[in-house]
């Protein structure tokens, strides 16, 4: 079956630090990959996506590249802000179109 | 802006008292999903509608039901809430039931059981 494994949190950083959240996946087909972000008390927002190997998704300074050879989709941001404090979910969608989520990584950015 | 709207944001009900959560969308999407999210966990899919076609997940308790009277609205009914049903309930939509279609989420309804 499909599964997503992402870096355990919580992660605490200082403002302007570099952020990486590791995500690896197992899928039977050729999945699409997503990063969603959940701010406190809110629903999930799509942060970025990639639908095929070597695609790079990017949004709001965040980037992730679909690496088929390593079955990974790591999220990176070069300089985080306090407003980036949130829970980040890696997810995949395969031939069954359902989202399989990772456990989520809580990121706290200190001023 | 087009969006997914959930009402109410917070709902309190008594143990065993039926409760209904609502979701509306202005995206004109074909698919509407309901998720349950417990504290510090990933969302768990309960069921979804593809147009009028209802699709239940195998492990969704019978206590949970859903209605979609039209394209814009979808309801989650919990017939006899137990303490274990306290959670955030998220509604999401997608244009089609396709692996590369992102899902668009509402802000959720946080349900408390007294």
């Amino acid at each position: 079956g499909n599964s997503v494994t992402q870096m355990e949190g919580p992660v605490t950083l200082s403002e302007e630090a570099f952020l990486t959240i590791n995500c690896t996946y197992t899928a039977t087909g050729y999945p699409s990959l997503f990063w969603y972000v959940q701010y406190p008390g809110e629903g999930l927002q799509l942060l970025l996506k990639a639908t095929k190997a070597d695609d790079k998704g990017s949004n709001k300074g965040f980037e992730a590249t679909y690496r088929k050879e390593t079955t990974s989709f790591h999220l990176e941001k070069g300089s985080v802000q306090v407003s980036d404090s949130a829970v980040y979910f890696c997810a995949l969608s395969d031939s069954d179109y359902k989202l399989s989520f990772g456990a989520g990584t809580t990121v706290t950015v200190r001023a | 802006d087009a969006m997914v709207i959930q009402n109410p944001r917070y709902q309190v009900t008594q143990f065993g008292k039926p409760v209904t959560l609502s979701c509306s969308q202005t995206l004109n999407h074909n698919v509407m999903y309901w998720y349950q999210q417990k504290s510090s966990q990933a969302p768990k899919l309960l069921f979804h509608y593809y147009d009028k076609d209802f699709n239940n997940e195998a492990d969704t308790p019978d206590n949970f039901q859903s209605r979609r009277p039209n394209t814009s609205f979808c309801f989650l009914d919990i017939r006899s809430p137990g303490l274990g049903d306290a959670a955030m309930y998220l509604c999401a939509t997608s244009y089609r039931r396709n692996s590369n279609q992102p899902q668009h989420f509402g802000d959720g309804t946080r349900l408390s059981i007294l």
Side-chain angles (χ1 to χ4, degrees), chain A residues 36 38 41 49 97-98, chain B residues 9 37 48 57 97 100 103:
Chain A
Y36 283 87
Q38 187 173 31
K49 73 171 189 176
Y97 60 82
K98 299 177 187 178
Chain B
R9 291 294 309 277
Q37 186 181 26
H48 75 277
E57 293 301 297
R97 201 168 53 185
N100 65 12
Q103 293 184 19

Side-chain angles (χ1 to χ4, degrees), chain B residues 20-32:
Chain B
T20 295
L21 310 181
S22 73
C23 176
S24 64
Q25 55 126 345
T26 59
L27 296 160
N28 206 32
H29 282 175
N30 296 309
V31 193
M32 294 187 78

Side-chain angles (χ1 to χ4, degrees), chain B residues 28-107:
Chain B
N28 206 32
H29 282 175
N30 296 309
V31 193
M32 294 187 78
Y33 307 82
W34 279 104
Y35 289 86
Q36 179 192 64
Q37 186 181 26
K38 295 192 174 180
S39 183
S40 303
Q41 295 182 21
K44 178 179 181 296
L45 182 64
L46 296 173
F47 27 58
H48 75 277
Y49 272 94
Y50 184 35
D51 290 333
K52 296 181 181 180
D53 182 28
F54 177 71
N55 297 269
N56 200 27
E57 293 301 297
D59 56 355
T60 298
D62 292 340
N63 203 22
F64 290 84
Q65 296 183 339
S66 185
R67 297 170 283 135
R68 189 179 186 186
N70 54 52
T71 301
S72 300
F73 285 87
C74 195
F75 299 98
L76 169 62
D77 300 308
I78 308 177
R79 287 192 296 183
S80 181
L83 297 179
D85 297 328
M88 174 80 91
Y89 290 88
L90 296 167
C91 175
T93 72
S94 65
Y95 177 59
R96 283 199 300 247
R97 201 168 53 185
N98 186 303
S99 65
N100 65 12
Q101 294 283 317
Q103 293 184 19
H104 301 261
F105 286 80
D107 281 338

Side-chain angles (χ1 to χ4, degrees), chain A residues 2 6 8-10 17 22 29 32 35 54-55 60 62-63 68 70 72 75 78-80 84 93 104-105 107-108:
Chain A
N2 297 334
Q6 67 180 96
E8 294 279 335
N22 290 339
S32 294
W35 277 101
D54 300 324
D55 267 2
K60 299 181 181 179
F62 290 89
E63 292 184 341
K68 192 168 186 295
T70 55
S72 65
L75 182 69
S79 177
V80 293
D84 294 323
S93 180
T105 302
V107 173
T108 302

